[in-house]
Amino acid sequence: MSSGGDTVELGVDLSARLDRDGFALDLELSVAPGEVLAVLGPNGAGKSTMLGILSGLLRPDSGHLRVDGRTLLDTADGTFVPPHRRGVGLLAQEPLLFPHLSALANVAFGPRAQGTPRAAADSRARELLDAVGVGGLAARRPAQLSGGQQQRVALARALAPRPGLLLLDEPLAALDVDATPAMRTLLRRVIADGKQTALLVTHDALDALVLADRFVVLDRGRIVESGPARDVLARPRSAFSARIAGLDLVPGTAEGSGVRTADGTEIRGRAVEVAEGEPAVAVFPPSAVAVHASRPEGSPRNVFPVRIAALEPRGDTVRLRAAPVAGGPDWVSGLAADVTPAAVAELGVEPGHEVWFAVKATEVAVHGRHA
């Protein structure tokens, strides 16, 4: 994707400013080669506008876009590469497959449009259909495929031209609840195996956690938060990220049906399509966390000491935000427990107090995550 003998600057570099009908977009972002960047934000934040600029459907008032060292847009010198020549792939909510073509022909379409001979394009298409688990359906047309199967074909089609950037626009939003976990796992594997640079737009914190290396939060056309997924959710700085940060998460490595953290702590849970030894995250809601003044005994559960960092009133509950105890593991930082005001009074907890958090293994879901 580089041009001529120029120095190749890999990855994605976007700077864009646009003012339309009272809405202003002003952002700068970069995506490293092989990185998956999740872009989140409320409705009207500018996510669709950003996707339009990246795909070439919108021209900003000023700015530039470079992908794999190739300039696709530069308002300073008038450079504007049209959408079909950008080498940018798209996987959207709806598969948008050509209804009159077979799955094989749909996937081969991109390489063929680039001038790849038919035999080579078909070979690439078969390879990708096998990779996404629908190789046996190559001859079927979209109407003969389920929604989940169509989305797998759409993923193969998006990857077939070897895009320098893959745009994932709410790719799981239209799938039913039974198909979503398998497609989420497939996306993570295919993107990681191919070292694919990707930008994921989603409203689902779990999708972002499983698929992305880094989060960016947009609000009113500007980036208001940026950083590793766990940091953004553990210390939200905007109303939107505070709302999506409704999950506790502990990163580590899949082991059995749980996760082993970097310091060797075992978090027991329920594995969801995750392989032994791969990067994983244990996820549970703050409402599932019980708080004890001393270490609890009894039924199997995950128990760890924390220091109370803050008490956050939330309507009928109080959120206790955790920090590590002296010499304790860092992964407890930002974990939360939602308890009643009566429980707070009974425990007598205040910032600085040390307590025990406990969560049953049945409340903990374990998902693979992007490495």
Side-chain angles (χ1 to χ4, degrees):
M1 303 292 285
S2 61
S3 56
D6 296 341
T7 300
V8 178
E9 298 175 0
L10 296 176
V12 178
D13 174 28
L14 171 67
S15 174
R17 290 164 182 79
L18 178 145
D19 197 339
R20 295 285 188 279
D21 300 323
F23 174 78
L25 180 78
D26 185 354
L27 63 84
E28 296 188 13
L29 61 82
S30 61
V31 189
E35 181 182 36
V36 180
L37 177 69
V39 179
L40 303 98
N43 291 333
K47 302 186 298 297
S48 295
T49 302
M50 178 197 65
L51 287 175
I53 292 171
L54 288 166
S55 63
L57 299 178
L58 283 176
R59 296 193 189 210
D61 299 326
S62 64
H64 65 261
L65 169 63
R66 300 183 183 92
V67 176
D68 274 356
R70 178 178 173 223
T71 299
L72 304 182
L73 162 73
D74 193 334
T75 57
D77 62 13
T79 299
F80 183 82
V81 176
H84 65 282
R85 292 179 49 211
R86 290 200 167 198
V88 174
L90 173 66
L91 180 64
Q93 293 183 32
E94 301 296 338
L96 303 177
L97 300 174
F98 298 119
H100 62 292
L101 297 180
S102 67
L104 181 72
N106 263 283
V107 178
F109 180 87
R112 290 281 290 147
Q114 293 176 326
T116 303
R118 180 180 298 276
D122 286 353
S123 176
R124 169 75 172 160
R126 288 192 182 91
E127 172 190 320
L128 285 168
L129 287 171
D130 285 340
V132 300
V134 289
L137 307 178
R140 295 189 185 183
R141 293 187 178 184
Q144 299 171 300
L145 302 172
S146 69
Q149 290 167 342
Q150 289 185 36
Q151 196 69 334
R152 286 170 182 253
V153 174
L155 172 58
R157 184 179 66 174
L159 294 170
R162 294 184 171 86
L165 173 64
L166 177 63
L167 302 178
L168 302 168
D169 184 12
E170 299 277 6
L172 307 180
L175 297 180
D176 61 51
V177 67
D178 294 328
T180 298
M183 188 65 189
R184 186 186 290 124
T185 300
L186 173 67
L187 266 174
R188 176 174 49 81
R189 177 179 59 78
V190 169
I191 289 172
D193 288 351
K195 296 181 174 58
Q196 175 69 56
T197 305
L199 190 147
L200 166 69
V201 169
T202 181
H203 284 88
D204 191 318
L206 185 56
D207 289 348
L209 285 169
V210 170
L211 298 171
D213 301 291
R214 188 163 53 93
F215 278 22
V216 161
V217 179
L218 283 185
D219 193 11
R220 300 177 187 178
R222 287 169 172 76
I223 294 174
V224 295
E225 296 186 70
S226 177
R230 192 173 192 282
D231 291 351
V232 171
L233 293 186
R235 290 176 286 277
R237 298 193 303 276
S238 70
F240 178 79
S241 56
R243 285 196 300 274
I244 66 169
L247 296 172
D248 281 331
L249 58 132
V250 180
T253 302
E255 185 173 292
S257 61
V259 163
R260 186 167 294 278
T261 66
D263 71 320
T265 302
E266 180 188 4
I267 305 295
R268 288 165 291 181
R270 298 171 291 107
V272 180
E273 297 199 25
V274 56
E276 185 86 9
E278 73 174 350
V281 60
V283 181
F284 49 93
S287 59
V289 181
V291 182
H292 303 265
S294 58
R295 183 184 180 95
E297 306 294 339
S299 60
R301 66 184 72 191
N302 300 292
V303 179
F304 37 89
V306 302
R307 178 175 56 83
I308 299 300
L311 280 70
E312 306 167 2
R314 290 172 172 256
D316 296 335
T317 63
V318 177
R319 176 158 293 180
L320 306 183
R321 190 72 67 175
V325 299
D330 290 337
W331 54 261
V332 304
S333 180
L335 295 184
D338 288 345
V339 299
T340 64
V344 172
E346 182 179 346
L347 290 165
V349 291
E350 295 179 359
H353 283 189
E354 294 186 6
V355 296
W356 292 82
F357 278 8
V359 56
K360 294 179 180 179
T362 54
E363 299 283 357
V364 179
V366 176
H367 298 267
R369 62 182 171 91
H370 190 66

